[in-house]
Amino acid sequence: MLRRKKDGLVSSEDETDWAALLLRVRDHQDRAAFAVLFRHFAPRVKAFLMKSGAGASLAEECAQDVMAVLWQKAHLFDPARASVATWVYTIARNRRINALRRARRAEPEELDWGPAPEPDQAEALETRQETERLGRALAALPTPQRTLIERAFYGELSHSEIAAETGLPLGTIKSRIRLALDKLRHRMGEGPKRT
């Protein structure tokens, strides 16, 4: 038998009858019943979400969302199928899963629409000439320096990996690469030779 108490409906065992409160929300949009449900479930839902790995702000946001669903979709509650707590925590779990999916979803890349613009002929020619100059500058390097540059940049090896591969000391690797890069910068800085 239910009787009224200061904080809502209670059973004779002095336990709140959550189903009766939710049915009052469902059938009569009873704000007082909803307030009792909110005071009880909102902090527990937030704690549940935080224990399952959600940050405080996400847990708070989801808890508010769960309580809004409780008010808006009370008509879907069926006490014969589940307890109020089961229903509330199921909504909370689903909201958290949705929030995680949204957080993991990468922002779409900006897509260029339409055909790609034709490359500028002058830029294409300049790029080709620069590539040829780089090839000549690399060929002019002493073989030990050229080999290290090729392994570092084309082979994408770290200095330590090159040292392990060649047996040369790491300091030697670094100094040869630095010297080779200085020579390349100098040769590339000369620009194309004009006649």
Side-chain angles (χ1 to χ4, degrees):
M1 169 130 187
L2 298 175
R3 57 189 166 83
R4 277 250 178 231
K5 194 172 180 181
K6 178 182 166 193
D7 60 344
L9 297 172
V10 294
S11 69
S12 57
E13 295 89 36
D14 200 31
E15 293 180 5
T16 305
D17 187 343
W18 303 115
L21 286 169
L22 190 52
L23 291 173
R24 291 186 62 78
V25 171
R26 181 187 76 183
D27 299 337
H28 306 290
Q29 290 76 44
D30 186 329
R31 292 179 184 273
F34 178 72
V36 173
L37 289 163
F38 191 95
R39 278 194 304 271
H40 178 77
F41 283 105
R44 286 166 176 79
V45 166
K46 181 179 177 183
F48 165 74
L49 293 168
M50 289 178 70
K51 283 181 186 173
S52 62
S57 63
L58 177 62
E60 178 72 30
E61 183 181 324
C62 284
Q64 294 291 327
D65 191 33
V66 167
M67 299 315 293
V69 168
L70 191 77
W71 174 263
Q72 295 163 353
K73 299 199 176 183
H75 64 279
L76 298 176
F77 175 68
D78 180 0
R81 294 184 66 205
S83 70
V84 174
T86 300
W87 193 59
V88 167
Y89 288 111
T90 300
I91 295 168
R93 184 183 63 85
N94 292 341
R95 289 295 187 250
R96 181 170 187 279
I97 290 169
N98 291 342
L100 288 173
R101 284 183 185 145
R102 280 192 306 272
R104 288 186 189 137
R105 190 176 306 138
E107 290 296 318
E109 292 180 23
E110 185 176 318
L111 298 175
D112 293 328
W113 295 100
E118 288 293 319
D120 180 24
Q121 294 301 320
E123 285 180 26
L125 178 62
E126 186 177 328
T127 302
R128 191 180 82 228
Q129 288 174 340
E130 193 169 310
T131 302
E132 289 171 359
R133 279 189 311 163
L134 179 59
R136 286 191 301 271
L138 278 170
L141 288 175
T143 302
Q145 290 177 357
R146 184 178 63 248
T147 303
L148 293 178
I149 288 287
E150 288 170 348
R151 284 183 175 174
F153 292 97
Y154 299 129
E156 297 182 359
L157 298 175
S158 70
H159 292 171
S160 301
E161 290 170 329
I162 295 170
E165 229 180 57
T166 62
L168 294 170
L170 184 59
T172 302
I173 301 289
K174 289 182 178 185
S175 64
R176 284 186 183 171
I177 289 176
R178 192 176 321 110
L179 284 170
L181 289 174
D182 286 342
K183 288 179 183 178
L184 288 174
R185 279 189 204 100
H186 177 73
R187 285 185 181 271
M188 295 299 290
E190 292 175 356
K193 294 188 178 181
R194 291 177 176 34
T195 56

